[in-house]
C-alpha cells in the first residue's frame, strides 16, 4: 500500500499496530507510530490504550509510561481502561505508590473506577500482601450505587480471605453472593472455604442446599465439600447417606474425602468399613486414598488389615509415599513384629524413604542398630 502511495486510514494503521504488538515487534510499532505522526493521523484513545496495555504485559513499564505521558501531550485523554492497565502493572511490579498516584489522577479527571478497576485493585493488592487495602477496595465497590460486585470480584475477595486468614468474613461473603448468577466454581470454593478454613460447616451445608434450589448441577467438588461439611458438623448418618448415593460413580477423591471426614469425626471403624468395601468392589483408588484408608484401619486398631492394604496398594502398582511407609512402620513397632520391621526398613532404604522423627526414636530406643539395614536407614536421615 505504501509503495503504491496509498495512504492507509486510521483503521488500517490500528490493525497493523495491533498485529505488531501481538508479535512483540516493538521496533516496528515505533516505526508505524512515527509514520502516523508524520502523516498527521491522530491516534485514538483506543489505540494508545492497546499499545500501553501491550507494553505492560511484557513488563516494559518504562515504555508504557512514556507512551502514557506522550498520549496526554498530544491532547488525547486517557480513559478508565488506560489507567487500569497501568495501575495493574505498577502494583504487580511492587510500585504501589505509583499505582495510587495514577488512581488519584484518574479520580481527578472525573473518571469513576468501574467493576474491572475494583477487581484489579482487590486482586493486585491481595497478591502484594496488602490485604487491608484489598478489603478497602471491596468496601468502596460495595458502596457504589450503579455497579455491584460480580463473581470475578468475589473470587478475588475469596482468595484475599484465604491469604489474610480473615475467615470471619466468610459468612458475609456467602450472604452477599445471593445476587450472583450461577457459577459452580465460585460456589464450590465458598463451600470448601466454609469447611476447611472458616469452621462454618452448617453454613456450607445451607449454601449447598441453596445451590440445588437454584438449579445447579453439583460436580465432584460440590459433593466433596458437602461430605466434608457433614462430617465436620458430626452429621455422620447424613454424610454416609450422601456417599452411598454416589459411591458407584465416585472417583478416588470422593472416597478419600469421606474416609478422611469419618476419621476426623472419630469414626475410625466406620471409615475402615466403608473403605474396605470400596477396595473389595475394586472401585478406582489412588495412593492418597490408600494412605487415608490405611490410617483409618490403624486408628481403629486393625493393624493386620492395614498391612494387607499396604501390600495390596503396592500390588496395584501404586507407590506409597513417605507418610504411608512411616505409618506402617510405626504400627509394626507397636506390635513388636521385629522381622517385618527389618523387611520394611530394607524396602525403605531401597526406595530412599526417610524415617519420621518418631520412628527414628523408636528405632534407637528398641536397639535395632545392630542390624546392618538400620545403619542404612539412619544414613538416609
Amino acid at each position: 500500500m505504501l509503495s503504491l502511495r496509498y495512504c492507509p486510514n486510521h483503521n488500517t494503521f490500528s490493525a497493523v499496530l495491533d498485529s505488531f504488538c501481538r508479535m512483540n515487534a516493538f521496533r516496528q510499532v515505533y516505526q508505524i507510530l512515527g509514520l502516523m505522526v508524520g502523516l498527521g493521523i491522530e491516534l485514538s484513545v483506543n489505540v494508545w490504550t492497546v499499545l500501553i496495555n501491550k507494553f505492560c504485559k511484557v513488563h516494559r513499564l518504562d515504555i508504557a509510561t512514556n507512551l502514557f505521558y506522550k498520549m496526554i501531550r498530544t491532547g488525547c485523554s486517557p480513559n478508565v481502561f488506560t489507567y487500569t492497565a497501568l495501575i495493574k502493572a505498577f502494583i504487580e511490579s511492587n510500585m504501589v505508590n505509583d499505582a495510587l498516584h495514577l488512581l488519584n489522577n484518574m479520580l481527578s479527571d472525573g473518571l469513576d473506577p468501574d467493576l474491572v478497576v475494583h477487581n484489579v485493585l482487590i486482586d493486585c493488592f491481595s497478591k502484594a500482601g496488602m490485604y487491608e487495602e484489598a478489603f478497602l477496595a471491596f468496601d468502596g465497590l460495595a458502596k457504589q450505587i450503579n455497579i455491584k460486585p460480580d463473581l470475578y470480584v468475589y473470587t478475588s475477595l475469596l482468595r484475599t480471605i484465604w491469604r489474610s486468614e480473615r475467615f470471619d468474613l466468610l459468612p458475609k461473603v456467602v450472604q452477599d453472593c445471593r445476587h450472583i448468577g450461577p457459577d459452580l466454581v465460585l460456589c464450590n470454593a465458598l463451600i470448601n472455604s466454609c469447611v476447611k478454613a472458616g469452621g462454618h460447616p452448617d453454613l456450607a451445608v445451607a449454601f449447598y442446599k441453596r445451590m440445588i434450589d437454584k438449579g445447579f448441577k453439583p460436580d465432584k467438588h460440590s459433593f466433596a465439600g458437602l461430605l466434608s461439611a457433614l462430617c465436620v458438623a458430626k452429621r455422620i448418618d447424613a454424610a454416609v447417606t450422601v456417599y452411598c448415593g454416589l459411591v458407584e460413580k465416585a472417583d478416588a477423591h470422593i472416597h478419600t474425602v469421606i474416609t478422611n471426614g469419618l476419621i476426623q469425626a472419630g469414626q475410625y471403624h466406620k471409615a475402615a468399613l466403608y473403605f474396605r468395601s470400596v477396595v473389595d468392589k475394586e472401585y478406582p483408588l489412588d495412593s492418597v486414598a490408600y494412605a487415608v484408608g490405611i490410617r483409618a484401619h490403624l486408628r481403629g486398631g486393625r493393624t493386620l488389615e492395614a498391612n494387607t492394604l499396604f501390600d495390596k496398594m503396592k500390588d496395584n502398582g501404586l507407590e506409597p509415599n513417605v507418610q504411608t511407609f512411616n505409618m506402617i512402620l510405626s504400627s509394626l513397632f507397636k506390635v513388636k513384629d521385629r522381622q517385618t520391621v527389618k523387611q520394611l526398613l530394607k524396602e525403605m532404604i531401597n526406595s530412599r524413604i526417610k524415617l519420621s522423627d518418631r520412628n527414628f526414636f523408636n528405632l534407637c530406643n528398641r536397639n535395632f542398630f545392630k542390624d546392618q539395614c538400620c545403619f542404612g536407614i539412619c544414613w538416609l536421615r
Side-chain angles (χ1 to χ4, degrees), residues 29-262:
V29 168
Y30 272 113
Q31 289 175 347
I32 297 297
L33 286 175
L35 180 60
M36 292 178 71
V37 172
L39 293 174
I41 298 176
E42 183 178 349
L43 274 68
S44 68
V45 62
N46 292 334
V47 173
W48 283 112
T49 301
V50 167
L51 292 173
I52 291 170
N53 186 48
K54 292 295 182 181
F55 281 107
C56 286
K57 286 185 176 180
V58 296
H59 308 293
R60 291 301 306 269
L61 266 177
D62 53 338
I63 300 176
T65 305
N66 288 335
L67 287 174
F68 176 77
Y69 289 112
K70 191 171 186 177
M71 169 188 183
I72 295 175
R73 287 195 299 269
T74 61
C76 185
S77 299
N79 60 19
V80 172
F81 301 105
T82 317
Y83 278 110
T84 302
L86 278 170
I87 289 172
K88 180 180 180 182
F90 276 127
I91 295 179
E92 290 177 345
S93 300
N94 293 322
M95 301 170 67
V96 180
N97 290 332
D98 297 275
L100 295 177
H101 178 71
L102 275 178
L103 180 61
N104 290 330
N105 288 346
M106 185 179 74
L107 296 174
S108 300
D109 290 344
L111 298 174
D112 293 326
D114 61 4
L115 197 57
V116 176
V117 174
H118 281 96
N119 190 38
V120 166
L121 290 174
I122 295 169
D123 184 56
C124 292
F125 279 138
S126 177
K127 290 178 179 177
M130 303 173 63
Y131 305 121
E132 289 305 318
E133 288 79 0
F135 291 128
L136 287 174
F138 177 78
D139 290 339
L141 174 59
K143 294 175 183 178
Q144 296 286 334
I145 299 176
N146 299 326
I147 54 177
K148 294 292 183 182
D150 61 2
L151 63 94
Y152 299 105
V153 171
Y154 279 113
T155 301
S156 297
L157 181 64
L158 191 59
R159 285 196 293 263
T160 306
I161 290 174
W162 271 88
R163 289 167 178 156
S164 63
E165 299 185 356
R166 286 289 307 277
F167 303 121
D168 56 299
L169 298 176
L170 281 174
K172 184 178 184 303
V173 175
V174 173
Q175 181 70 21
D176 290 346
C177 279
R178 294 193 173 199
H179 73 277
I180 298 295
D183 183 78
L184 191 59
V185 175
L186 177 61
C187 291
N188 289 341
L190 281 171
I191 290 174
N192 283 285
S193 296
C194 289
V195 177
K196 295 180 180 180
H200 303 284
D202 294 326
L203 185 63
V205 174
F207 191 76
Y208 176 86
K209 290 181 178 178
R210 196 196 319 161
M211 283 173 54
I212 302 302
D213 292 340
K214 285 190 173 184
F216 279 87
K217 185 178 180 180
D219 61 7
K220 67 176 185 179
H221 302 290
S222 310
F223 285 122
L226 176 63
L227 290 171
S228 297
L230 291 171
C231 289
V232 172
K234 304 295 184 182
R235 297 170 60 179
I236 304 302
D237 292 339
V240 170
T241 300
V242 172
Y243 175 67
C244 290
L246 55 91
V247 64
E248 293 184 358
K249 297 181 179 180
D251 62 2
H253 179 62
I254 294 295
H255 300 311
T256 303
V257 168
I258 187 64
T259 306
N260 187 63
L262 292 173

